[in-house]
């Protein structure tokens, strides 16, 4: 009878050891998965070099998840090892006649039988925990993509770095507003050798649709400015192509300037955009609208104006987020831009853009809520 009891106890302990060992193996895989996720997250944060608010709490939560996964693995590994040891002891005691050990092993056999039922429950709970971890990880990745998407769009619409162009110095500033997606855009590119185009625009509204429209307008202008020598014709063609009767709430303001060093001229067209300014022969000249906003009517007409282009001339283009900076009921306004250009025309274009932004910030009694894009181009 003693041998039967010890044999049953040994069998139960072997099964319990196998059950806990299998769960420990799953927990080990889960622990490795958490570690890899943590390592990937650290690498991503290091590459972005970001220190956003709440990062410390997120880091503490990630460390807690890693510690819990490791603790669960060690606990189950301990249980598996303990039952394996008890099984070996029970098999060894089969050869002895001590009734004390038989009773002891019988007492051990009871929790060994119970642990098999608990093991199934523990395995189910573990699978639920792993599924929850996977869901949370995917949710975090989705949130990260949502945060990165506006930056990626802004990088395409208003790049931080522009190419260098012989005979010109270019500066730019972009400040994202409170909206999720950018609607402001600018571009500087060589149309043909000796002809440089500068474009800046603003799509009304917020969100992904306005951002997509801005993206389309920016790159279609590149196509049409190479197709038409007159910027007004390019603007007309852009309006025809992007006009949509189903989106009556959306419209675009835009100004384009083409600097022609061969002809010694500056030709511009403006579709309802805030006045750009040109410092020319010690005077600050307004480059006012030469047609209505884009997307109001398919057949809207536009014309261009031409001004002699001299060495040292500076053109400043911007979106309405700059001039709509508020102090009470007063706005920063277009004239403030002209005054700063008149006062500091010899500043480097990049410095000029930064000075304009800081002037608007100093003027406003609240943080600037709209996107702000500023572009300055000087013929050197």
């Amino acid at each position: 009878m003693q041998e039967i009891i010890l044999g049953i106890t040994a069998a139960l302990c072997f099964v319990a050891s196998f059950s806990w060992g299998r769960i420990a193996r799953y927990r080990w895989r889960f622990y490795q998965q958490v570690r890899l996720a943590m390592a990937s997250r650290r690498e991503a944060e290091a590459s972005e070099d970001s220190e956003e608010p709440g990062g410390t709490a997120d880091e503490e939560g990630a460390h807690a998840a890693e510690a819990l996964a490791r603790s669960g693995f060690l606990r189950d590994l301990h249980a598996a090892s303990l039952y394996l040891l008890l099984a070996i002891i029970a098999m060894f005691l089969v050869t002895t006649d001590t009734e004390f050990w038989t009773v002891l092993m019988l007492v051990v056999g009871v929790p060994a039988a119970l642990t098999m039922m608990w093991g199934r429950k523990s395995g189910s709970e573990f699978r639920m925990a792993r599924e929850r971890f996977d869901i949370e990880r995917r949710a975090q990745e989705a949130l990260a993509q949502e945060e990165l998407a506006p930056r990626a769009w802004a990088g395409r619409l208003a790049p931080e770095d522009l190419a260098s162009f012989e005979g010109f110095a270019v500066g730019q500033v972009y400040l994202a507003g409170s909206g999720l997606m950018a609607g402001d855009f600018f571009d500087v590119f060589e149309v043909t050798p000796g002809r440089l185009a500068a474009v800046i625009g603003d799509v009304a509204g917020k969100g992904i649709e306005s951002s997509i429209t801005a993206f389309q307008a920016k790159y279609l202008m590149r196509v049409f400015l190479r197709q038409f020598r007159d910027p007004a014709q390019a603007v007309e063609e852009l309006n025809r192509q992007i006009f949509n009767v189903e989106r009556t709430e959306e419209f675009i303001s835009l100004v384009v300037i083409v600097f022609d060093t061969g002809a010694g001229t500056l030709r511009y067209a403006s579709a309802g955009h805030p006045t750009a300014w040109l410092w020319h022969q010690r005077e600050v000249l307004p480059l006012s609208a030469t047609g209505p906003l884009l997307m109001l009517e398919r057949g809207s007409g536009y014309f261009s104006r031409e001004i002699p282009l001299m060495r040292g001339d500076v053109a400043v283009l911007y979106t309405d987020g700059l001039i709509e900076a508020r102090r009470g009921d007063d706005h920063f306004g277009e004239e403030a831009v002209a005054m700063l250009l008149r006062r500091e025309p010899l500043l480097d274009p990049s410095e000029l853009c930064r000075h304009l932004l800081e002037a608007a910030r100093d003027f406003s009694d609240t943080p600037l809520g709209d996107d702000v894009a500023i572009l300055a181009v000087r013929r050197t």
Side-chain angles (χ1 to χ4, degrees), residues 207-276:
I208 184 65
E209 289 189 358
S210 297
S211 189
I212 291 173
T213 300
F215 186 83
Q216 292 173 329
K218 173 177 176 175
Y219 288 99
L220 283 173
M221 277 305 299
R222 284 199 169 209
V223 175
F224 299 144
L225 283 171
R226 290 189 171 103
Q227 183 178 350
F228 301 101
R229 190 171 185 85
D230 185 353
Q233 288 182 279
V235 173
E236 283 186 1
E237 185 63 24
L238 175 65
N239 184 60
R240 280 193 292 270
Q241 293 298 328
I242 65 175
F243 179 81
N244 190 330
V245 294
E246 296 178 356
R247 288 156 63 181
T248 56
E249 77 286 351
E250 195 171 70
F251 52 86
I252 305 173
S253 70
L254 174 146
V255 60
V256 53
I257 302 175
V258 177
F259 303 87
D260 191 330
T261 55
T265 60
L266 174 155
R267 185 181 289 268
Y268 82 93
S270 174
H273 199 76
T275 301

Side-chain angles (χ1 to χ4, degrees), residues 67-264:
L68 285 172
R70 183 173 182 273
S71 174
F73 161 70
L74 292 176
R75 182 190 64 223
D76 293 342
L77 180 63
H78 175 265
S81 302
L82 176 62
Y83 279 111
L84 178 61
L85 178 61
L86 290 173
I88 294 172
I89 293 173
M91 291 297 295
F92 175 76
L93 291 176
V94 170
T95 60
T96 68
D97 288 331
T98 307
E99 190 172 339
F100 168 77
W101 291 111
T102 303
V103 174
L104 179 61
M105 287 297 102
L106 181 61
V107 173
V108 169
V110 174
L114 293 175
T115 196
M116 288 187 289
M117 293 186 293
W118 169 252
R120 287 195 298 271
K121 182 180 179 182
S122 179
S124 176
E125 291 178 348
F126 163 71
R127 284 190 292 273
M128 292 174 60
R130 185 174 61 182
E131 289 172 0
R132 179 179 177 183
F133 171 79
D134 290 338
I135 292 171
E136 290 178 349
R137 178 172 56 82
R138 287 194 293 269
Q140 288 177 351
E141 290 174 354
L143 288 173
Q145 290 298 320
E146 286 186 8
E147 292 176 359
L148 291 175
R151 299 179 191 175
W153 275 106
R156 292 292 186 92
L157 297 175
E160 294 183 2
D161 298 312
L162 294 171
S164 58
F165 304 95
E166 184 178 354
F168 293 91
V170 181
Q172 84 284 341
V173 162
Y174 174 74
L175 176 67
S178 56
L180 292 177
M181 301 295 286
D184 292 11
F185 63 93
F186 58 73
D187 197 11
V188 181
F189 62 98
E190 191 176 59
V191 182
T192 59
R195 297 180 70 237
L196 185 73
V199 182
I200 198 165
D202 184 9
V203 180
K206 301 292 182 183
I208 184 65
E209 289 189 358
S210 297
S211 189
I212 291 173
T213 300
F215 186 83
Q216 292 173 329
K218 173 177 176 175
Y219 288 99
L220 283 173
M221 277 305 299
R222 284 199 169 209
V223 175
F224 299 144
L225 283 171
R226 290 189 171 103
Q227 183 178 350
F228 301 101
R229 190 171 185 85
D230 185 353
Q233 288 182 279
V235 173
E236 283 186 1
E237 185 63 24
L238 175 65
N239 184 60
R240 280 193 292 270
Q241 293 298 328
I242 65 175
F243 179 81
N244 190 330
V245 294
E246 296 178 356
R247 288 156 63 181
T248 56
E249 77 286 351
E250 195 171 70
F251 52 86
I252 305 173
S253 70
L254 174 146
V255 60
V256 53
I257 302 175
V258 177
F259 303 87
D260 191 330
T261 55

Side-chain angles (χ1 to χ4, degrees), residues 38 41 45 50-64:
M38 283 281 295
R41 183 173 179 177
E45 290 177 350
S50 62
E51 296 182 359
E52 299 179 356
T56 302
D58 291 343
E59 187 73 14
E60 290 177 355
H63 280 300

